[in-house]
Amino acid sequence: MDRETDLDILARTELFRALPREALDEVRRSSSRKRVGKGDVLFHQDEPVSTLYIVVVGRLRALQTTAEGNQVIIRYLGPGEIAGYAALDDSATYPGTVAAVDDSHVIGLSKGAIRRLLERFPQVALNALSVLGNRYRETQLRLRELSTESVERRLARTILRLGSQAGRRTAHGIEIAFPLSRQDLAEMAGTTLHTVSRTLSGWEKDGLVMSGRRRVILCRPEALTVIAETAP
Amino acid sequence: MDRETDLDILARTELFRALPREALDEVRRSSSRKRVGKGDVLFHQDEPVSTLYIVVVGRLRALQTTAEGNQVIIRYLGPGEIAGYAALDDSATYPGTVAAVDDSHVIGLSKGAIRRLLERFPQVALNALSVLGNRYRETQLRLRELSTESVERRLARTILRLGSQAGRRTAHGIEIAFPLSRQDLAEMAGTTLHTVSRTLSGWEKDGLVMSGRRRVILCRPEALTVIAETAP
DNA sequence: CGGCTACTTGACCAGATTCAACTCTTGTGG
DNA sequence: CCACAAGAGTTGAATCTGGTCAAGTAGCCG
């Protein structure tokens, strides 16, 4: 593990930005790197909370499963973001499951280490508040969309969002840079894979997107934005 | 303003519990009480953040309005809870509007005062994390319900939740202790006032609830729980 | 009272889910 | 290396939940 690099990486994460050098050193000392392969689970819903993870490279996703077995994707996590926020507010169990959707690297910190950092360095706590505040607002927004907007609109918003947080420029447009099935999109937009498939087929015919097996490319994002912002 | 009483009240709020006496004094010094009449607005969506409020008595509600003018009720706030969490994570504008649904008393603290408290007393920051964490989880749960459950189920959950957080025992059952219209329920459950009206009428016929103009009484909560937990 | 707001209910309609059948990829093991 | 099973996607048809439209009633306040 390269010490210099690790400090640089930590300094750029949402949780440990703007820390004094001393604090950053302390973080590094209490953390450990870990590789997670595609599909590997970091922790399961309802398991006791032990660790907070920081994504270094790759992409993970947080999802929740209902009593009936339905899944809802809470969010995708990329470099610099945290997985396991339950360790921040000292809640007993993880509210969801986090698994890698691509080979990834994470840094793990024990619940105890996080507590110590929060109490000792106010900036860590302020950063943590900002992380939770942002996620809370993000979820409120989705709630609002889900209550008031059509499936097509929600789906347009969903892929635009994914494009902006994990998009890669290609010859045909912005490609969402991790495997993403119809089912995944359905679990994010609150619909079924059938409706997603039909909608994407329609958009593909109009040249708005290109999509295939677990792949989505946004060819005309502006046109999708129009859909995302047009009632009904 | 009674100083002793105020300290006691503060010590029982979600944000200022478990503080050392010194911190509590500091909070009291930087805070000021305020009355808000039924219908009065504490702050508006998109307004710059200036103040964080703590509910002392009464009931407020937080809601968001979409570009098309649809409203979504984020939550109702009762004694001990905070309004204006945006002041905690230093975000620029309020994400929603908060207004009183009954005559209420609140304690206000300026954004600056909150910042100082957060930096100086780690326990305040830990409490704040727990507040935001709980709200985030609560919203995730609603998101999950909205994506996967029928209107009837969501409505049952909604009134059960309101009953448990603001219920008052009466001769006929648990009455939700503040004015609550069909429209309000619709904006919480993600549906229309028509569907709410039809559903409540049905339940009333079966003796599960009694309801009238802005009033709801849960006569048979157990039966509602069954509805809330039965697919589809 | 008169007017406003809340509520109710019927009729109709449509967006979206469900059911079902089929195709296309991919990757695994014989 | 090929075969074939499993996974992913497509699409039509039927269905239905819940929203929209419309019209009217009941309760409340000035």
Side-chain angles (χ1 to χ4, degrees), chain A:
Chain A
M1 177 175 5
D2 182 335
R3 295 185 151 215
E4 262 318 314
T5 306
D6 256 30
L7 277 190
D8 290 348
I9 289 170
L10 286 170
R12 274 181 278 109
T13 62
E14 54 179 358
L15 190 55
F16 298 124
R17 68 164 58 117
L19 291 195
R21 172 67 189 233
E22 178 205 359
L24 226 40
D25 275 330
E26 173 72 27
V27 173
R28 193 188 39 68
R29 272 196 299 277
S30 28
S31 70
S32 66
R33 251 171 188 273
K34 189 178 164 184
R35 321 176 65 104
V36 279
K38 188 168 170 168
D40 291 355
V41 169
L42 227 45
F43 52 79
H44 285 99
Q45 184 166 345
D46 298 329
E47 220 172 65
V49 173
S50 65
T51 315
L52 178 122
Y53 298 92
I54 316 244
V55 183
V56 179
V57 293
R59 182 108 5 211
L60 312 180
R61 76 170 170 199
L63 59 85
Q64 294 190 0
T65 307
T66 67
E68 279 90 28
N70 295 306
Q71 295 196 333
V72 174
I73 294 177
I74 301 297
R75 69 198 316 271
Y76 280 86
L77 304 168
E81 297 188 303
I82 63 167
Y85 74 89
L88 291 176
D89 75 330
D90 209 29
S91 96
T93 57
Y94 292 111
T97 297
V98 170
V101 293
D102 255 339
D103 290 337
S104 308
H105 276 192
V106 299
I107 291 175
L109 286 105
S110 76
K111 187 170 148 173
I114 286 293
R115 279 275 112 175
R116 249 174 288 126
L117 292 165
L118 286 171
E119 285 172 19
R120 190 147 151 233
F121 303 105
Q123 186 62 47
V124 175
L126 295 180
N127 288 346
L129 280 172
S130 144
V131 169
L132 287 189
N134 287 331
R135 296 220 186 158
Y136 181 30
R137 271 184 292 272
E138 181 185 297
T139 310
Q140 285 175 350
L141 181 60
R142 277 181 69 191
L143 194 72
R144 213 163 84 189
E145 291 168 4
L146 209 47
S147 328
T148 61
E149 297 179 354
S150 70
V151 169
E152 187 178 31
R153 244 179 122 167
R154 269 144 48 201
L155 195 57
R157 285 193 196 284
T158 302
I159 70 175
L160 282 168
R161 225 167 257 157
L162 290 173
S164 80
Q165 71 190 50
R168 174 169 55 194
R169 288 218 68 77
T170 70
H172 303 285
I174 298 162
E175 174 172 11
I176 292 170
F178 55 84
L180 181 71
S181 69
R182 305 292 182 260
Q183 178 69 40
D184 295 336
L185 283 169
E187 286 170 7
M188 263 185 292
T191 179
T192 61
L193 77 163
H194 306 280
T195 303
V196 171
S197 180
R198 281 183 239 274
T199 308
L200 286 185
S201 295
W203 288 347
E204 184 135 24
K205 196 154 44 200
D206 300 341
L208 304 201
V209 302
M210 290 173 58
S211 73
R213 197 184 174 80
R214 290 162 160 278
R215 276 178 58 245
V216 179
I217 301 173
L218 292 68
C219 305
R220 298 179 43 211
E222 357 71 54
L224 288 169
T225 305
V226 172
I227 292 173
E229 290 171 358
T230 308

Side-chain angles (χ1 to χ4, degrees), chain B residues 55-110:
Chain B
V55 183
V56 180
V57 294
R59 184 119 350 223
L60 312 181
R61 77 171 171 198
L63 60 84
Q64 294 190 1
T65 307
T66 67
E68 279 90 29
N70 294 305
Q71 294 196 333
V72 174
I73 293 178
I74 300 298
R75 70 198 315 273
Y76 281 85
L77 304 168
E81 297 189 303
I82 63 168
Y85 73 90
L88 292 176
D89 77 329
D90 208 29
S91 95
T93 57
Y94 292 111
T97 297
V98 170
V101 294
D102 255 339
D103 288 338
S104 308
H105 276 193
V106 299
I107 292 174
L109 286 105
S110 76

Side-chain angles (χ1 to χ4, degrees), chain B:
Chain B
M1 178 179 356
D2 181 335
R3 293 185 154 217
E4 263 317 315
T5 307
D6 256 29
L7 276 191
D8 291 349
I9 289 170
L10 286 171
R12 274 181 278 107
T13 62
E14 54 180 357
L15 190 56
F16 298 123
R17 69 164 58 116
L19 292 196
R21 172 66 188 232
E22 178 206 359
L24 227 40
D25 274 332
E26 173 73 27
V27 174
R28 193 188 39 69
R29 271 194 301 277
S30 25
S31 68
S32 66
R33 252 171 187 274
K34 189 179 165 183
R35 320 177 64 103
V36 278
K38 187 165 169 171
D40 291 355
V41 169
L42 228 44
F43 51 80
H44 285 99
Q45 185 166 344
D46 298 329
E47 219 172 65
V49 174
S50 65
T51 316
L52 178 124
Y53 298 93
I54 317 246
V55 183
V56 180
V57 294
R59 184 119 350 223
L60 312 181
R61 77 171 171 198
L63 60 84
Q64 294 190 1
T65 307
T66 67
E68 279 90 29
N70 294 305
Q71 294 196 333
V72 174
I73 293 178
I74 300 298
R75 70 198 315 273
Y76 281 85
L77 304 168
E81 297 189 303
I82 63 168
Y85 73 90
L88 292 176
D89 77 329
D90 208 29
S91 95
T93 57
Y94 292 111
T97 297
V98 170
V101 294
D102 255 339
D103 288 338
S104 308
H105 276 193
V106 299
I107 292 174
L109 286 105
S110 76
K111 188 171 149 173
I114 285 292
R115 278 275 112 175
R116 251 174 285 125
L117 292 165
L118 286 171
E119 284 172 20
R120 190 149 150 232
F121 303 106
Q123 187 62 46
V124 176
L126 294 180
N127 288 347
L129 280 172
S130 146
V131 169
L132 288 189
N134 286 332
R135 296 220 186 158
Y136 182 30
R137 271 184 291 273
E138 180 185 297
T139 310
Q140 285 174 353
L141 180 61
R142 277 180 69 191
L143 194 71
R144 213 164 83 190
E145 291 168 4
L146 210 46
S147 327
T148 62
E149 298 179 353
S150 70
V151 169
E152 186 178 31
R153 243 179 124 169
R154 270 145 45 202
L155 195 57
R157 285 192 196 285
T158 301
I159 70 176
L160 283 168
R161 225 167 257 156
L162 290 173
S164 80
Q165 72 189 49
R168 174 170 55 195
R169 287 219 69 77
T170 70
H172 299 107
I174 299 163
E175 175 173 10
I176 293 170
F178 55 86
L180 181 72
S181 71
R182 305 292 183 258
Q183 179 69 39
D184 294 336
L185 282 169
E187 286 170 8
M188 263 185 292
T191 178
T192 62
L193 79 163
H194 306 280
T195 302
V196 171
S197 180
R198 280 183 241 274
T199 308
L200 286 184
S201 293
W203 289 347
E204 184 134 24
K205 195 154 45 201
D206 299 342
L208 303 201
V209 302
M210 290 173 58
S211 72
R213 198 185 172 80
R214 288 162 161 279
R215 275 179 58 246
V216 179
I217 300 173
L218 292 66
C219 304
R220 297 179 44 210
E222 357 70 56
L224 288 169
T225 305
V226 172
I227 293 173
E229 290 171 358
T230 306

